[in-house]
Amino acid sequence: MVVRLLFGLLLGLPVLAAPLPPLEKAIPPAQALPTLEAALQILAQRGLEASSALGIKVQGERVQVVVEAEALEAEAVAALGGEIRHRAAAHGLWEVLIPPERLPALAALPGVRFVRRPHRPQPLGTQGVALSGAAAWHAEGLRGQGIRVAVIDAEFGRLSQALAQGRLRHVVAARDYTGEGLEAGGGHGTACAEIVQAMAPEAELVLLKIDNEVQLAQAVQEAVGLGVRVISHSMAWFNTSFYDGTGVVCEIVRQATTAGILWVNAVGNFAAGAHWEGFWIDRDGDGLLDFAPGVNVNPFEAEPLKPLGFWLTWDDWPTTDQDFDLYIVHVPTGQVVASSTTTQAGAQPPIEHVVFLPTLPGPYGVVIRGHRVTQPKPLELFASPAVKLGVSVAESSVPTPADAPFVLALGAIPWPRWAGGPQAAYSSQGPTNASRLNPARHVKPDLMGPDGVDTFVYGAAGFSGTSAAAPHGAGAAALVWSAHPGWTAEQVRSWLESAAVDLGPSGKDNVYGQGRLRLPLPAMSSPSLSHTYAHAGWQLVSVPTLGERAEAFGTTLWSWNGRGYEALPREAVLEPLRGYWARFSAPQTVTASGVVPTTDQSLALDRPGWHLVSSPWPYPKGAIRLARGEQVLGWAQAVAAGWVRPTLWGYNPANRQYFPAETLEPWQGYWLYAQAPGLVLRFSYAARGADLLEGPMPSAGEAPPPPPKDVLPEECEFFAAPTPWRGAGALRFWAVASAPIRALKVEVFDLSGRRVWEGGAQVGELFWHGEDALGTPVANGVYFCLVRAETEGNRTYSDMLRIVILR
């Protein structure tokens, strides 16, 4: 984790000229209505004049809110003077217009869980046709014909003019869910549609205007019904999850992807000062978060009369009793100018949201108060991209829904430096968050697109931001799909990622993803590839082509997740660099119809331990290279460095024994054991062996520990990294066992045997920030750590690890 101190801690961050006043809740906890957001309770008391300060939309004499409930009767709402505008019953959401004074009564209706302000998408704001290679596709007659692309956005200003100018030629449907008028507001969505049309001139466009999550759900339903194949969404959503790929917006997006749509999203513009994350730390016990040692106020500069948003959440979804409040203060006076102080008492979501309209220029600051905190929760703070926080974090600055693994997320490279980067400083960086609901972290972005390009809407000033990058990816997907109309969304995505030009560290990384978007002219079809598995029973399998589904094997495939086996659904897309278990009742011929990769391939090994791997080409073990950070080693060097064990193990179904493999063959899977974290396998297309052939099965040899039907033997391995730890980010402790880990405990001791810190987690990993039990940073030196893990099988394991701290 890189923490940017924009003002410089050594030079001194701005300090308050006056002390902070007592930071109290706007609604005392004893008076807080548990099913009504505090901002709405304030509105009910103060009336419509408070709506603008709270960021609440007003229509006539009524305000727009979202009701979370199992069901909501229109008659009951009408009796309160309200109206249900939109429904997303599958997600338990209703958009309601209601007089503000009737909000408490709405929150008291039977079955209502919570009434709150709507979540609103935030816009993320051509030369790309030539830069990406799309022009060559157009010359070959591949122009996106037969593919329908939806642009879902919050504004389509100047749409009529763009149509009249010929910038948009194939708009087949447009819908305004907001009631404001399709062309009311700015031209963000129109510019996105321009880029899609420029990339795929014959693609049909569907334009859908929304301004909250209920309307998003309806727009997705309409897109599915209209036969849309690609959705372009250059918007960010906040406070719907812990940015871990879960939550209501991600579930709405999943409905689209489950229906076979490729969802392309901007990754976000929050890496250059508009994001902070960290654990709750209050070293001096004053009830205020320490953003850095001695820093309770995270400063920023603001221009007058330009509204700013701030969104705070913490890892305690979906409801919490850990109570945090969010304040904006004027630094020279210490005056609180905006706040969000919902009482979280166990039934409320872990969110606070401030809309702030500065009346004066100058320094302001963010303050987070822990009103009732019994657990040191991880916190996430996002701000409008115009905000440059004094203490900010670039990593893990990916908002929803770009954080979902089933979304193709694009970062931005300014088009004048397209060839080699670097990326736009604001382009959000991964990884996605791990949380108590989803411990997996994913690399983001997935690809990079150009920004700063010319559009009719924005003119020569250029359309900047990852908002411009995403529609380049959506238009590219339409081109690929028009060339391969029988492909699935995953096949299109796999092709785009495999064709990308790698930038930054080798392989997929959290700045550039797979690299910059590139559209080499395709081989229009690959000859069908077939392989016959000559023996019944268990065997390790793979597929050498991109985008094949598990159903091609005609039997259940099993993947290894580091702890056990998982059955893959029939529609799961297979990766040619991974192996799988299959059990055939008779000899089986499998035919693939996708494309064999013709570019270098990389596979991230996300943990130490056993991995099932493969290669799309015959590939000598000695030609495999491994990367760890900036260091790249050949196979023999990696073995000598202790990164991997020396043997790759294949499996011979004829005698049910393992054998040491010197060459990875297509269609086969192999066991590899990684001994170090953060490894990336690299396969060079130029170093591949002969064409795809079915070679003879090698003779059997010694079998490694993992058998074909069971999990690892009873064992548990423990890890701590990085060591030495130099003070950046956190020390991570984790364990890998044969059964899922349900608890982890760590005790840290100095060389005298004195315990300096202990912590626990209900998952298999735990983070430590190098502080003792009182929050004081420990001294540099060597420490011993007793790590204990408890698995779901009620087995307990422990080990002693050694770490070094060198700040």
Side-chain angles (χ1 to χ4, degrees):
M1 181 188 298
V2 176
V3 178
R4 292 188 175 92
L5 303 183
L6 299 183
F7 294 89
L9 283 176
L10 294 177
L11 298 177
L13 288 164
V15 296
L16 291 170
L20 282 173
L23 300 180
E24 301 295 341
K25 288 183 176 291
I27 303 291
Q31 300 175 21
L33 299 178
T35 56
L36 185 63
E37 186 184 7
L40 296 181
Q41 192 170 346
I42 294 170
L43 185 72
Q45 294 174 356
R46 299 181 184 175
L48 290 174
E49 62 273 11
S51 60
S52 60
L54 298 170
I56 298 171
K57 282 193 173 182
V58 176
Q59 296 188 21
E61 298 297 315
R62 300 186 296 185
V63 294
Q64 182 193 56
V65 299
V66 166
V67 178
E68 298 180 4
E70 292 299 325
L72 189 65
E73 298 295 334
E75 295 80 4
V77 175
L80 299 176
E83 172 192 357
I84 297 177
R85 284 282 315 283
H86 296 286
R87 296 171 171 84
H91 302 281
L93 300 175
W94 280 261
E95 178 193 325
V96 172
L97 290 178
I98 192 166
E101 67 272 12
R102 306 310 302 272
L103 284 167
L106 177 65
L109 288 178
V112 170
R113 294 191 299 269
F114 201 60
V115 180
R116 55 170 171 79
R117 291 171 289 178
H119 296 308
R120 301 200 187 282
Q122 303 298 311
L124 295 169
T126 141
Q127 291 85 347
V129 173
L131 294 174
S132 65
W137 288 56
H138 300 170
E140 293 293 324
L142 300 172
R143 300 168 62 84
Q145 55 268 36
I147 306 301
R148 189 164 285 184
V149 181
V151 177
I152 302 180
D153 207 280
E155 50 188 38
F156 287 96
R158 305 188 71 188
L159 175 61
S160 298
Q161 294 167 283
L163 288 165
Q165 291 282 335
R167 296 300 186 104
L168 300 176
R169 294 177 297 281
H170 299 291
V171 177
V172 297
R175 176 69 63 88
D176 170 33
Y177 289 97
T178 70
E180 301 171 343
L182 187 65
E183 295 192 54
H188 183 270
T190 305
C192 291
E194 277 191 73
I195 292 175
V196 174
Q197 193 82 89
M199 292 289 292
E202 299 301 323
E204 296 180 337
L205 298 181
V206 175
L207 310 181
L208 303 171
K209 180 179 179 180
I210 56 98
D211 78 349
N212 61 53
E213 71 274 31
V214 186
Q215 297 171 14
L216 176 68
Q218 292 195 312
V220 165
Q221 282 187 321
E222 181 159 7
V224 172
L226 288 172
V228 164
R229 306 292 290 275
V230 182
I231 288 177
S232 179
H233 192 55
S234 290
M235 313 290 286
W237 297 77
F238 300 108
N239 282 8
T240 66
S241 71
F242 195 62
Y243 309 104
D244 56 358
T246 68
V248 64
V249 169
C250 284
E251 288 307 309
I252 293 170
V253 172
R254 191 192 294 273
Q255 285 191 329
T257 59
T258 300
I261 292 174
L262 177 61
W263 190 290
V264 183
N265 215 97
V267 79
N269 304 329
F270 304 97
H275 169 256
W276 175 88
E277 68 174 17
F279 281 81
W280 169 259
I281 296 175
D282 178 16
R283 296 174 179 85
D284 53 8
D286 61 359
L288 304 180
L289 172 73
D290 295 338
F291 286 96
V295 179
N296 293 136
V297 180
N298 199 340
F300 63 92
E301 296 287 330
E303 296 183 33
L305 303 181
K306 291 189 176 181
L308 301 173
F310 297 83
W311 296 265
L312 174 69
T313 187
W314 49 100
D315 184 14
D316 209 18
W317 282 83
T319 57
T320 183
D321 61 358
Q322 303 297 293
D323 192 359
F324 295 94
D325 295 331
L326 178 63
Y327 298 86
I328 307 299
V329 300
H330 185 235
V331 170
T333 63
Q335 178 186 1
V336 175
V337 295
S339 65
S340 178
T341 60
T342 296
T343 295
Q344 284 88 19
Q348 296 76 29
I351 59 175
E352 299 288 351
H353 171 212
V354 165
V355 176
F356 170 49
L357 183 65
T359 57
L360 298 172
Y364 292 85
V366 179
V367 177
I368 297 174
R369 181 194 177 195
H371 186 77
R372 182 182 58 253
V373 183
T374 60
Q375 305 168 33
K377 294 291 182 181
L379 305 168
E380 285 283 334
L381 175 69
F382 278 90
S384 298
V387 172
K388 307 300 180 188
L389 294 170
V391 185
S392 67
V393 178
E395 289 83 357
S396 297
S397 55
V398 179
T400 299
D403 57 338
F406 41 85
V407 166
L408 182 67
L410 270 80
I413 300 173
W415 77 264
R417 55 177 190 255
W418 177 246
Q423 83 282 10
Y426 45 73
S427 185
S428 287
Q429 302 176 20
T432 62
N433 282 345
S435 73
R436 71 170 190 160
L437 293 182
N438 182 14
R441 307 188 79 174
H442 297 280
V443 175
K444 290 287 178 175
D446 301 297
L447 286 174
M448 303 297 282
D451 79 333
V453 297
D454 296 342
T455 62
F456 167 72
V457 170
Y458 292 108
F463 184 13
S464 295
T466 58
S467 278
H472 283 96
L479 289 182
V480 174
W481 229 330
S482 68
H484 301 282
W487 278 10
T488 66
E490 280 300 324
Q491 286 175 301
V492 173
R493 174 177 178 163
S494 295
W495 191 96
L496 288 171
E497 292 195 30
S498 68
V501 176
D502 193 12
L503 297 174
S506 178
K508 192 171 186 179
D509 62 78
N510 285 306
V511 174
Y512 295 102
Q514 293 283 12
R516 62 176 172 85
L517 178 67
R518 181 174 68 103
L519 290 169
L521 280 173
M524 289 302 297
S525 61
S526 291
S528 293
L529 300 167
S530 296
H531 178 82
T532 298
Y533 294 95
H535 300 278
W538 287 100
Q539 47 202 296
L540 286 172
V541 303
S542 185
V543 65
T545 52
L546 296 168
E548 300 296 341
R549 296 192 178 198
E551 61 188 358
F553 281 80
T555 187
T556 300
L557 296 188
W558 299 80
S559 64
W560 175 254
N561 63 15
R563 299 178 180 179
Y565 291 107
E566 295 179 335
L568 298 181
R570 291 173 56 84
E571 64 273 13
V573 176
L574 306 179
E575 300 179 56
L577 296 185
R578 294 195 185 276
Y580 307 90
W581 279 109
R583 190 175 189 276
F584 298 118
S585 58
Q588 177 83 16
T589 298
V590 179
T591 299
S593 57
V595 175
V596 177
T598 57
T599 57
D600 295 352
Q601 300 290 300
S602 298
L603 176 67
L605 306 182
D606 56 357
R607 63 186 184 278
W610 291 104
H611 295 265
L612 278 173
V613 302
S614 186
S615 169
W617 327 290
Y619 205 86
K621 179 181 73 173
I624 296 174
R625 300 182 71 79
L626 293 99
R628 189 181 184 198
E630 299 295 327
Q631 189 176 10
V632 180
L633 301 179
W635 180 265
Q637 294 172 305
V639 170
W643 290 6
V644 291
R645 292 182 183 172
T647 304
L648 287 173
W649 295 97
Y651 182 72
N652 187 345
N655 57 16
R656 301 180 183 179
Q657 294 185 27
Y658 289 99
F659 61 88
E662 294 302 317
T663 300
L664 282 74
E665 296 291 341
W667 299 98
Q668 307 297 330
Y670 300 86
W671 284 109
L672 175 150
Y673 195 94
Q675 299 184 132
L679 297 180
V680 177
L681 289 182
R682 298 173 58 182
F683 296 82
S684 169
Y685 182 66
R688 69 195 188 284
D691 292 335
L692 295 173
L693 298 173
E694 294 185 30
M697 182 66 68
S699 59
E702 178 187 359
K709 296 172 64 177
D710 302 315
V711 297
L712 287 169
E714 290 294 337
E715 63 177 81
C716 184
E717 296 187 79
F718 296 89
F719 305 91
T723 182
W725 181 62
R726 301 186 183 278
L731 267 161
R732 177 183 176 225
F733 299 94
W734 73 101
V736 178
S738 56
I741 293 173
R742 68 179 187 183
L744 190 72
K745 182 178 180 181
V746 177
E747 295 178 274
V748 180
F749 302 87
D750 61 20
L751 293 179
S752 70
R754 181 177 64 92
R755 184 173 63 191
V756 298
W757 181 81
E758 65 178 332
Q762 300 304 307
V763 292
E765 66 176 357
L766 183 65
F767 296 91
W768 180 43
H769 291 265
E771 297 172 332
D772 63 19
L774 299 177
T776 303
V778 301
N780 290 345
V782 178
Y783 294 85
F784 290 96
C785 312
L786 178 61
V787 187
R788 297 187 180 91
E790 182 180 338
T791 68
E792 288 186 358
N794 293 318
R795 295 184 63 92
T796 301
Y797 304 88
S798 65
D799 196 6
M800 187 70 76
L801 303 179
R802 174 181 173 273
I803 60 172
V804 178
I805 295 179
L806 294 175
R807 289 188 179 86

